[in-house]
Amino acid sequence: MASRNGVAQRGAVKLDRPVSFRTSSFKSRLPPSQSPGNGSAVRRSSPALFGSAGSKDDHAVPGRVRVAVRLRPRNAEEMVADADFADCVELQPELKRLKLRKNNWDLDTYEFDDVLTEYASQKRVYEVVAKPVVESVLDGYNGTVMAYGQTGTGKTFTLGRLGEEDTSDRGIMVRSMEDILADISPETDSISVSYLQLYMETLQDLLDPTNDNIPIVEDPRTGDVSVPGATIVEIKDQHSFLELLRCGEAHRIAANTKLNTESSRSHAILMVQVKRSVLGREDDVSSENGDPSHLTKPFKPLVRKSKLVVVDLAGSERIQKSGSEGHMLEEAKCINLSLSALGKCINSLAENSAHVPFRDSKLTRLLRDSFGGSARTSLIVTIGPSPRHRGETASTILFGQRAMKVENMLKIKEEFDYKSLSRKLEIQVDKLIAENERQHKAFEDEVERINLEAQKRISEVERNFADALEKERLKCQMDYMEAVKELEEKLVSNQKPNHCLVDGKWNGEGPGLSVSKEATELQELLQNEIDLRKMAEEELKNLKGQLGLYTQSEAGGDAEIFKLHKLLEEEAQQKKKLEEEIIILRSQLLQSNFEAEQMRRCLDRDGSGNGFTGLDSSMPPVRNSYPKDIGNGQKAPVSTLFEQVGLQKILSLLESEDANVRIHAVKVVANLAAEEANQKRIVEAGGLTSLLMLLRSFEDETVRRVAAGAIANLAMNEANQELIMAQGGISLLATTAADADDAQTLRMVAGAIANLCGNDKLQTKLRSEGGIKALLGIVRCGHPDVLSQVARGIANFAKCESRACTQGMKSGRSLLIQDGALPWIVQNANDEAAPIRRHIELALCHLAQHEVNAKDMISGGALWELVRISRDCSREDIRSLAHRTLNSSPTFRAEMRRLRIDY
């Protein structure tokens, strides 16, 4: 595995040429002062820095050093020491801007290519800072990723974290190698790694501690920097690379200072050499008249050699703050001197100076290609929030600002490699010859086997045919004999005479006597029945007479009883009206007391000197639902009314004939249902049934709106959801949704259906009773609040379907897709309203997790939305879910390859 860095391969011819970048993020972003239209020339490095002649510089691609700033969160010591002070920096990531606090009223503003807050994930840091550089390296360019900042601000965490305890903490080194290994071909490409440290101006090998003085060599013709003698390890998989990093980190020098318990005392440099084989087409062949012909020369074998350098700089520190002394003091001096030399070089490059002091330090010599050279460079500057270290923070920010002015000229390095191609072709020819011989032998054996089998089958068919022909002949003979015998028997039977009838009369006397006897018996039975009927009619007549006499005697008493019943009913109705009026008056009284208490508090706050001028502005708005406790500890009016009147009495008012009483009662029930503690009592007392009856029987818009809201509150409980479905609630809600035009009513209905969509057990019944169709019909309203509830219901339904498919409880296409919900989902997947967009993005991710839905989603345009969600969604969990879904689906991956979507 390990080898020494030697001389370049003999017989290879170098070629430098530019190649277009993969994504738009690689485009150079020049400052306005350096644009061609302003007349000031962009700085170009000398040929010695690039290693090519002047004619090849014209093909170089300009690329400015990109700088991102990352803020470390406060540590435990800063939370105590700086508890009374604000952070010295203020981040504006959406504007890519940073404000440095000079004092309590003055701030300095700086702009960077990217601004990463203390909450930025390691994955986002990698994608912003290092991924464009890694992709350039895979395209054949050299690349550098470097971290600069005060000690203890998180440089090593950003670059070298292995993520053994938490994979999300993996740093730039680990993630870069993951992408490189995923993109290369093990058969044709290779990766080799060296891991070094610059300690007290001595270059040491972290993979071989005995190799502690490695020279730095510069090619006078090309200007390339190499470190012959460094250990080079071939990398085949991620595991071997992690073992290499562990070995290097174990040998890296660190110490405990006042500013950092594990302060790096050396600059760590990870060098990754990538060698890739590609095919390049030569120029078109020109005809005699100068016009290019359509004939082209064959492809030429090329080898691209690129290098990725990841530099973890030691942190700059002030001696009086770090408390370094003795040998640690000497280490700090060397660190600060090398960082100072790097700063001077960057200042010279930013100011287009004629001389750049690269030879002042070994660090600047190693980074010569990274600043002002031919490498694509990304710099991340790390800062801390503590106001005690404002000076170090300001120095770090200014370093990043100057680095943004440095312009590199990027070039690809390719070599013709005919020898390796020849070796590969020879191996392929040998394989083809051996394969041809094997196939020829197998073909001859197969032909012989087929001939033998054919002869055997022909013989067997001939025997079977002869046997079948003989059987058929014997069968025909037997059938012929049987037919002749049957015809003879019929002929004999037709010749016999029939002696059954004589002149059309039967022999003997006949059955006439028995028939007359039966008729006589029937007549006797009929006469007996007639006599019995007459006796029954006489008995009935006597009973009717007796009943008439009894009715006359009771008529006077019934009239008195009827009058008493009527009086009792009038008294009951009067009592019911009085009770309803008492309940309404109590509710109004409690409401008045609540408003008076609020007015008194407002007057107390305004003071006696303000009078009544500010009364209206300080009055709080009256709400439909009251808090559980009011100010001085009294109970809310709805709860007080609930205890004083009783739930059963309130539910009885839902059936009142007075419209105002009915509306007031349903509002009270809706407010009670908003509290989970009351829901069980309401359902047990028959409140759910009464609310569903209101939806079924009343056409008043207010009653239906409030009843739907109360049902939505009850539907948040899983047990209540099954009761609602069992009593036909979804059908009533669907009917209400179809008839209603008021946005608030539709919002309540959509909320109730959305809560029911979240129950795994009710999916099939919900769809069969029109729940999904009702949701899709509600979108006609167009109100954002209504659409948000519709999107929530679809997301809940899709989530339950995804869970059922994962558990093997469901198969087949999604019910949402079958009911035509996909076009609306795709149309609103990028809605401006965040709640609608978030729910629909979740629904798309859950639908895409089931492979059977993939074709419908591709034809419906959902694939593009999934790609957008995986890249641009503001929520990390949804973005990750979309990313995993696209990677796990063979159908989606095939379609993305067909559409050439770079993912």
Side-chain angles (χ1 to χ4, degrees), residues 582-829:
I582 290 171
I583 293 173
I584 294 173
L585 289 175
R586 284 181 177 177
S587 175
Q588 294 176 352
L589 177 61
L590 293 171
Q591 178 70 24
S592 300
N593 291 338
F594 176 71
E595 294 176 356
E597 179 66 20
Q598 294 293 328
M599 185 179 295
R600 182 184 63 78
R601 293 180 181 174
C602 293
L603 291 175
D604 293 341
R605 288 197 301 268
D606 291 341
S608 58
N610 294 336
F612 296 91
T613 57
L615 182 61
D616 294 339
S617 62
S618 62
M619 283 289 290
V622 179
R623 301 179 180 177
N624 293 329
S625 59
Y626 301 95
K628 294 182 179 180
D629 297 318
I630 300 177
N632 55 3
Q634 297 178 356
K635 294 184 177 180
V638 176
S639 302
T640 305
L641 182 65
F642 174 56
E643 294 180 357
Q644 293 179 357
V645 178
L647 178 61
Q648 200 65 43
K649 184 65 68 177
I650 295 173
L651 294 178
S652 66
L653 297 181
L654 295 176
E655 303 175 0
S656 175
E657 298 179 357
D658 191 341
N660 293 329
V661 174
R662 188 168 59 249
I663 292 173
H664 188 80
V666 73
K667 287 182 178 179
V668 172
V669 174
N671 286 330
L672 288 172
E675 298 183 9
E676 186 176 358
N678 300 329
Q679 293 180 359
K680 184 176 180 182
R681 299 175 62 183
I682 291 174
V683 174
E684 291 177 350
L688 175 60
T689 304
S690 300
L691 291 171
L692 293 174
M693 288 295 297
L694 290 179
L695 284 184
R696 180 182 291 109
S697 57
F698 287 97
E699 299 181 357
D700 185 271
E701 190 69 29
T702 304
V703 173
R704 291 198 301 177
R705 179 175 67 252
V706 181
I711 293 172
N713 289 336
L714 293 175
M716 291 187 294
N717 186 290
E718 184 176 356
N720 296 341
Q721 292 172 358
E722 297 180 359
L723 291 175
I724 293 172
M725 294 295 292
Q727 297 183 26
I730 191 63
S731 300
L732 294 176
L733 291 170
T735 304
T736 305
D739 297 340
D741 295 323
D742 179 59
Q744 292 298 326
T745 303
L746 292 175
R747 183 172 70 89
M748 297 298 181
V749 173
I753 298 177
N755 290 337
L756 295 174
C757 287
N759 193 318
D760 296 339
K761 304 175 183 177
L762 308 178
Q763 295 277 293
T764 305
K765 188 173 182 181
L766 182 70
R767 186 244 184 173
S768 63
E769 295 187 7
I772 299 176
K773 294 288 187 182
L775 277 178
L776 296 177
I778 291 174
V779 302
R780 71 181 185 277
C781 174
H783 195 279
D785 293 341
V786 178
L787 297 182
S788 177
Q789 294 297 326
V790 174
R792 182 172 68 88
I794 290 177
N796 288 343
F797 197 94
K799 182 178 181 181
C800 291
E801 273 195 330
S802 175
R803 187 162 49 237
C805 292
T806 303
Q807 296 173 356
M809 300 171 60
K810 180 186 179 301
S811 60
R813 296 168 60 224
S814 169
L815 299 180
L816 289 172
I817 295 178
Q818 294 180 24
D819 278 2
L822 185 59
W824 184 84
I825 294 174
V826 174
Q827 180 182 359
N828 294 269

Side-chain angles (χ1 to χ4, degrees), residues 302-545:
L302 300 177
V303 176
R304 290 180 182 173
K305 293 182 178 180
S306 57
K307 177 174 65 176
L308 173 64
V309 180
V310 183
V311 183
D312 181 10
L313 295 175
S316 60
E317 62 182 56
R318 293 187 179 180
I319 306 304
Q320 59 183 0
K321 290 187 177 182
S322 64
S324 299
E325 57 185 13
H327 185 67
M328 291 176 57
L329 179 60
E330 296 300 323
E331 292 175 345
K333 289 180 180 179
C334 290
I335 292 172
N336 291 337
L337 284 175
S338 60
L339 293 177
S340 176
L342 178 60
K344 290 179 182 179
C345 291
I346 290 178
N347 288 340
S348 299
L349 291 169
E351 296 170 1
N352 289 332
S353 299
H355 171 68
V356 181
F358 282 114
R359 293 186 173 276
D360 289 356
S361 171
K362 288 187 177 181
L363 177 63
T364 54
R365 291 176 64 190
L366 284 171
L367 298 179
R368 186 167 186 171
D369 191 47
S370 303
F371 292 98
S374 60
R376 174 170 292 279
T377 301
S378 284
L379 172 65
I380 178 168
V381 293
T382 58
I383 59 177
S386 175
R388 292 179 296 156
H389 306 305
R390 184 195 171 281
E392 289 82 351
T393 301
S395 175
T396 302
I397 292 172
L398 292 176
F399 180 88
Q401 290 286 298
R402 290 191 295 270
M404 290 176 66
K405 299 178 182 179
V406 177
E407 186 80 15
N408 294 349
M409 300 301 294
L410 315 180
K411 293 178 300 181
I412 276 183
K413 295 185 178 180
E414 295 179 340
E415 296 178 355
F416 298 110
D417 194 2
Y418 290 113
K419 292 184 178 180
S420 63
L421 178 61
S422 176
R423 287 194 299 270
K424 291 180 181 177
L425 291 177
E426 287 177 358
I427 294 173
Q428 291 180 1
V429 168
D430 292 338
K431 289 182 178 179
L432 290 174
I433 291 173
E435 181 65 23
N436 184 39
E437 290 179 353
R438 286 194 296 270
Q439 290 182 357
H440 183 70
K441 182 65 170 60
F443 177 76
E444 291 179 349
D445 295 342
E446 184 68 14
V447 169
E448 184 178 357
R449 186 187 64 81
I450 291 174
N451 288 333
L452 294 174
E453 186 175 353
Q455 293 176 1
K456 181 178 179 181
R457 289 186 178 181
I458 291 173
S459 302
E460 185 177 355
V461 168
E462 290 177 349
R463 284 196 307 272
N464 293 338
F465 179 75
D467 295 342
L469 185 62
E470 181 65 21
K471 290 180 180 179
E472 188 67 21
R473 187 181 65 78
L474 295 175
K475 182 179 179 182
C476 289
Q477 290 180 356
M478 294 297 295
D479 291 342
Y480 173 74
M481 297 299 294
E482 291 290 336
V484 171
K485 185 176 181 181
E486 289 178 0
L487 289 174
E488 291 177 351
E489 291 177 353
K490 288 181 180 180
L491 180 61
V492 173
S493 62
N494 288 334
Q495 293 176 356
K496 293 181 180 181
N498 189 357
H499 301 288
C500 296
L501 293 174
V502 178
D503 295 333
K505 296 182 180 180
W506 290 93
N507 295 327
E509 297 180 354
L513 296 176
S514 61
V515 173
S516 60
K517 185 176 180 181
E518 290 180 359
T520 304
E521 292 178 355
L522 289 175
Q523 288 179 356
E524 291 178 356
L525 291 175
L526 179 60
Q527 186 62 38
N528 293 335
E529 291 294 331
I530 293 172
D531 295 339
L532 292 174
R533 179 180 177 184
K534 288 181 179 180
M535 294 174 62
E537 289 177 352
E538 292 177 358
E539 185 69 22
L540 178 61
K541 186 176 181 180
N542 294 332
L543 292 174
K544 285 183 178 180

Side-chain angles (χ1 to χ4, degrees), residues 17 279-284 295-300 302:
R17 68 180 183 86
L279 293 178
R281 186 189 298 272
E282 290 189 353
D283 297 335
D284 293 342
L295 298 176
T296 58
K297 293 182 180 180
F299 287 101
K300 297 185 297 185
L302 300 177

Side-chain angles (χ1 to χ4, degrees), residues 94-225:
E94 66 280 358
L95 301 177
K96 298 183 178 180
R97 184 181 298 167
L98 177 147
K99 292 185 178 181
L100 178 63
R101 194 181 304 277
K102 297 173 64 177
N103 47 48
N104 290 336
W105 56 88
D106 193 10
L107 297 95
D108 290 333
T109 303
Y110 303 92
E111 291 186 357
F112 290 88
D113 293 308
D114 286 285
V115 175
L116 302 167
T117 67
E118 63 270 33
Y119 304 108
S121 64
Q122 290 282 76
K123 180 180 180 182
R124 171 164 171 74
V125 173
Y126 169 73
E127 290 177 347
V128 168
V129 177
K131 190 169 185 177
V133 178
V134 173
E135 292 178 347
S136 295
V137 171
L138 292 172
D139 284 336
Y141 293 87
N142 288 342
T144 302
V145 179
M146 186 170 67
Y148 177 92
Q150 181 192 6
T151 181
T153 54
K155 299 182 296 301
T156 303
F157 177 86
T158 301
L159 296 182
R161 191 76 170 184
L162 299 183
E164 296 176 327
E165 298 177 357
D166 187 354
T167 56
S168 63
D169 286 342
R170 303 190 314 280
I172 288 176
M173 292 181 180
V174 178
R175 294 178 185 269
S176 299
M177 186 56 66
E178 289 176 352
D179 282 358
I180 292 173
L181 289 171
D183 193 79
I184 68 168
S185 173
E187 293 78 12
T188 59
D189 305 336
S190 64
I191 306 171
S192 57
V193 172
S194 298
Y195 201 10
L196 312 173
Q197 71 172 354
L198 183 60
Y199 175 69
M200 296 186 71
E201 284 302 299
T202 301
L203 192 60
Q204 302 176 358
D205 195 337
L206 288 175
L207 303 180
D208 184 10
T210 60
N211 191 8
D212 57 357
N213 192 7
I214 302 174
I216 300 175
V217 178
E218 296 180 19
D219 189 333
R221 185 178 63 87
T222 64
D224 292 339
V225 177

